[in-house]
Amino acid sequence: MKEENIRNFCIIAHIDHGKSTLADRILELTGAIDKRELKSQMLDSMDLERERGITIKLNAVQLSYKYNDETYQLNLIDTPGHVDFSYEVSRSLAACEGAILVVDAAQGVEAQTLANLYLALDNNLTVIPVINKIDLPSADPDKVIGELENIGFEKKDIVLTSAKTGVGVEELLEKIISVIPSPKGDRKSPLKALIFDSLFDSYRGVITSIRVVDGEVHTGDIIRMMETDAVYDVVGLSINNPKEKEVSVLRAGEVGYLFASIKSISDVHVGDTITLDDNPAKEALPGYKPMKPTVYCGLYPIESSKFEDLREALNKLKLNDAALTFEPETSKALGFGFRCGFLGLLHMEIVEERIEREFGIDLIATSPSVVYEVEMTDKSKILVDSPTKMPRRELINKTYEPYVKCSIFTPSEYIGPLMELCQDKRGTFINIDYLDTERVTINYELPLSEIVYDFFDRLKSSTKGYASFDYEVIGYKESNLVKMDILLNGEIVDALSVIVHKDFAYKRGRLVVEKLKEIIPRQLFEVPIQAAIGMHVIARETVRALRKDVLAKCYGGDVTRKKKLLEKQKEGKKRMKQIGSVEVPQEAFLSILSTKE
Amino acid sequence: MIKSCYIHIPFCNKICSYCDFPKLLYNANYVDKYLDSLEKEIKSIYKNDILDTLYIGGGTPSSLSLEQLSRLFNILGNLKKSIDIEYTIECNFSSLTKDKLELFKKVGVNRISLGIESIDKNNLKLLEREEYTDEIVNKIKLIRDIGINNINVDLMYALPGETIEVLEKDLDFILSLDVEHISTYSLIIEDHTKLKISNIKNIDEDLDYEMYRLINNKLKSNGYKHYEISNYSKDCFESRHNKCYWLNDEYYGFGLGAASYIDNKRITNTRSITKYINNGYSIVCEDLDIDSKIEYEIMLNLRLCCGIDLDRFKNKYGIFLSEKYDYNYLVNTGLLILNNNCLFIPEDKLYISNQIIVKLLQNKL
């Protein structure tokens, strides 16, 4: 296909605004699949994706569409819809020349609509604004048109669609051809292909999704990854339409899959450039960034015998998820588990859920932690991603924590409560942008650790769910951080230690010890529960000693009832974790670790 | 040889609010049928063992008429009794008459168990028991005049609303009776009792414990020996029948809802009176292997202040307890005491014996 007849585009939207349904409809209209085989939301191949309405892994589909007697090749590149995957989003945007910005006709512009739009504009994409779901009774297209005008679009460029009924989709396809520019690569130059996704296949190894920018790649070529310098033979090339079809060559402007017997997904970095080993490009494509976890937590199997199963589950997930990191970790309280790193909170939740659902392992997750920077008294710097790795206080000179720029998109009536929330979360106000009189974007600088703690729940509850938010990490700032330990009968329960800002330690400490007092049953002796910073106790409660247990009478010698009672007590003890000499019910950890204020 | 036998008489003139034992309001017609069925049950099971203890409990056995009691003792006349048998009957004050006492004496009953529970008006109201305070002293004198000189009284405490002062008065009164044996029970609100249904809550655990300590101190300083979690007696007046239970020895149990332990089997009778009078007796039967027998042994022995006699244990099961359970940790932490080859729970920890027993049972080797 000549470059002039190729259009590479993606669909970007706030979560649930109908991106996947629109993609389905486009597939159907271009004849890629017929209605009967259309499983709703064809592009989302994982069950979890379909259920949560979140696209986790990327997909690219090649479509063929006739317009004015010319046949065009449309490459639809699907992108993940959440901030945690923003780097993946930006790479798939870099594989396109245009983007369809989908806005729900009832919901209107939301935080991620804006975030995605700015990402698309950063990548110099031509953006087609689409108002979707116009069939909804609550749809208000005129209002949404106004909102789109406020962010710089012209009314005449906006397409109104209902992906559900198919209205407007034809018009959209024509717009894609007439508005989005064709690729402008040089097929004679040395090969430059952008890796915008990778996927592990148990038969073929790692499959990379590529967009050829310059030159050509053929089956049998010897290729080189410019970032990692790894060299491979191209075993096969294919396209999706949307069934996989093998091809012998991919040329500049085209999108497809490349497999090369790559055994580990860690060898393939999204954003890297593929070139030919014997005729390499002079420089790589711009914009490569290694992916770094921003949130860490410990994952432990509730049944300690499932530790090896958990390792296997993580290994399997890692095959398709280069951003997931993990290493074994031991906790006195929880036993053997793994310290895992994630791109963000949603990524963390998805991984936890997949382990529980797909691998059937019940988990205890410790409080999420961000990566802190600690400057030691000898001026050396270390990174701390877990409270257990925090050095002793006297060895610390300064502590730093990651900050984010947080944009909260909200109906204006919630400005007050939201500013209060951000203030409460140690935020620094940047500004408020008015989209119109009713909708605003509040921008704050916030410590990432506060967002990780319970920000999202509080945001939702203080705005009845109307606000949405987005954040990007902007760097480290000095902060007075301390490690707070929880002690049971004088012994530190490692799984409950947290790193907190000193000013908030007391409040957190009180909350945890009070909760523990409720949950820990009376023992044979008195159990002090303390929250402490170093040697300094900041909160204390006591579980009083057990005074009496039930003394069944034995009238008529009916001792079997008493035995049953003891059996029950014995069973109950099996579900207890022994922390030093204290027996703590499993539920205690679960409920403390999910402490909400 | 089985040496003990329990007979259950489920009839009462009034139902107390806390009672969860098989019982029903007195009804002459039912009593006769009940005694017929009881006779059949005994005949079909009893194997001519010579009994060392015989205990008639309830319900309220003394609520039967003189004739019905004569009939009962006729039936029990078929049981062989050792010369120094401990022969107990439970009585309440309103139904206990001179005639009945004379009958008891005649047939060889030598121990009377009386439910006093409390003399406090509020307590009695809660328990739905009548007040007999004035009668108690006279009736006890009557029992002794007849020549029965082994008397037990029951005391209940830790009742909702009860204070330490109320308990002290109850204790002073009971001590003034100078009986041989005192059973003390902290109120348990059992399922399906009137108390449970009226949603009555237990008192604070710490107050309960203070009451337990008060009882223990007071009874001990007045010459009673604490020999089992809830039981106190003067020297030589420990209840031999109850000790049969705590020593995990076998016993017969006849009557509605009665439990027995015969030939390694723990059997519980039906609690349905209609089934029982139609001769449908046992409903639950647990056949015990050696491991569960040992579990029972531990659980029951440890209720006694003298605990597990390790020599007796070895003789009974052919192995040492230490081969089956590791109790060193509990001994080292003071939760058990090993003395004179007896393993027992220290007196100040008897009140949390369940926890200690469970800990021991968890340390199975």
Side-chain angles (χ1 to χ4, degrees), chain B residues 36-160:
Chain B
D36 290 344
S37 194
L38 180 69
E39 184 170 18
K40 277 190 196 144
E41 191 196 4
I42 294 173
K43 273 192 179 149
S44 68
I45 293 170
Y46 173 63
K47 297 259 168 28
N48 283 319
D49 315 68
I50 299 170
L51 298 177
D52 197 37
T53 76
L54 177 54
Y55 192 104
I56 307 168
T60 316
S62 61
S63 68
L64 268 54
S65 70
L66 194 61
E67 292 68 34
Q68 287 162 338
L69 283 169
S70 299
R71 166 95 203 280
L72 172 66
F73 288 120
N74 268 335
I75 295 167
L76 302 184
N78 296 321
L79 302 173
K80 293 188 178 160
K81 304 171 188 77
S82 71
I83 292 170
D84 67 336
I85 187 170
E86 178 190 278
Y87 194 169
T88 310
I89 186 164
E90 287 179 353
C91 299
N92 73 352
F93 289 95
S94 64
S95 63
L96 189 58
T97 60
K98 194 164 179 249
D99 295 349
K100 288 180 188 173
L101 274 168
E102 280 166 348
L103 175 66
F104 297 162
K105 176 71 186 170
K106 200 180 91 192
V107 299
V109 171
N110 52 21
R111 188 168 181 269
I112 303 272
S113 180
L114 297 163
I116 292 178
E117 317 306 353
S118 176
I119 55 162
D120 178 73
K121 279 193 170 58
N122 290 328
N123 279 354
L124 290 170
K125 203 171 149 197
L126 183 96
L127 299 173
E128 297 185 33
R129 291 180 68 89
E130 287 167 49
E131 286 184 58
Y132 297 107
T133 319
D134 302 334
E135 261 185 73
I136 292 172
V137 178
N138 296 332
K139 284 271 160 80
I140 286 187
K141 187 170 178 298
L142 190 63
I143 295 169
R144 295 206 187 280
D145 288 346
I146 295 285
I148 297 176
N149 280 309
N150 186 354
I151 300 173
N152 167 62
V153 299
D154 285 349
L155 165 77
M156 286 194 93
Y157 67 99
L159 274 53

Side-chain angles (χ1 to χ4, degrees), chain B residues 276-290:
Chain B
Y276 187 84
I277 59 180
N278 287 308
N279 312 321
Y281 303 115
S282 74
I283 44 159
V284 186
C285 179
E286 186 191 3
D287 214 337
L288 302 180
D289 57 19
I290 179 151

Side-chain angles (χ1 to χ4, degrees), chain A residues 458-498:
Chain A
R458 287 181 62 186
L459 177 94
K460 286 289 167 198
S461 64
S462 53
T463 61
K464 301 194 178 81
Y466 280 113
S468 52
F469 88 111
D470 208 342
Y471 65 86
E472 58 175 321
V473 178
I474 50 172
Y476 280 80
K477 286 193 175 188
E478 191 181 342
S479 187
N480 193 355
L481 300 166
V482 291
K483 178 184 168 209
M484 182 181 78
D485 295 315
I486 301 296
L487 293 85
L488 282 185
N489 204 26
E491 224 169 289
I492 293 177
V493 185
D494 53 8
L496 298 180
S497 296
V498 283

